[in-house]
Amino acid sequence: GMGIVEDLMQEALPNKASPFFKTLTSLPKDILVGLPGQSKDVINHLNHQFLKGFTVSMQDNIHKLFNARNCVVEQMVLDRSKLGQLFQTSGKKELE
């Protein structure tokens, strides 16, 4: 079966076979086809600059975006067997 994330994504995204999804995903490509080369170069440069800035910003603020401690604790509370697995793995030498 699918995991929780896959289930949520399946519900959130439109059906890939639907005409709407096909139009939505082909639209950017169709728009770029008719543009002059210089315009495409400018758009590619702006996309690169945006992605570079976005990535640096995410790296600089990762502590605000992702809290590993909370994720681990939450998973341990939701599934106690994971806590047992962690205990057995980390204390393997001591338990032998």
Side-chain angles (χ1 to χ4, degrees):
M2 290 193 289
I4 294 171
V5 173
E6 290 86 359
D7 288 340
L8 291 173
M9 292 304 290
Q10 192 72 19
E11 292 174 17
L13 293 175
N15 182 344
K16 290 181 182 177
S18 75
F20 172 75
F21 188 80
K22 289 179 181 178
T23 301
L24 186 65
T25 56
S26 67
L27 192 60
K29 183 174 39 176
D30 292 344
I31 290 172
L32 285 175
V33 167
L35 291 177
Q38 187 176 10
S39 296
K40 290 179 189 177
D41 291 343
V42 169
I43 290 171
N44 283 333
H45 174 74
L46 292 174
N47 282 341
H48 178 76
Q49 290 301 109
F50 169 79
L51 289 174
K52 181 179 175 184
F54 183 71
T55 303
V56 169
S57 181
M58 282 183 55
Q59 290 170 339
D60 291 344
N61 294 290
I62 194 70
H63 61 283
K64 293 179 185 176
L65 300 170
F66 178 73
N67 186 327
R69 184 177 186 276
N70 283 356
C71 288
V72 170
V73 170
E74 188 174 306
Q75 287 301 311
M76 295 299 169
V77 170
L78 289 175
D79 186 354
R80 301 283 178 166
S81 68
K82 290 181 182 177
L83 183 58
Q85 290 172 348
L86 176 65
F87 181 74
Q88 289 176 349
T89 302
S90 61
K92 188 174 183 175
K93 287 183 182 178
E94 290 83 1
L95 294 172
E96 289 177 347

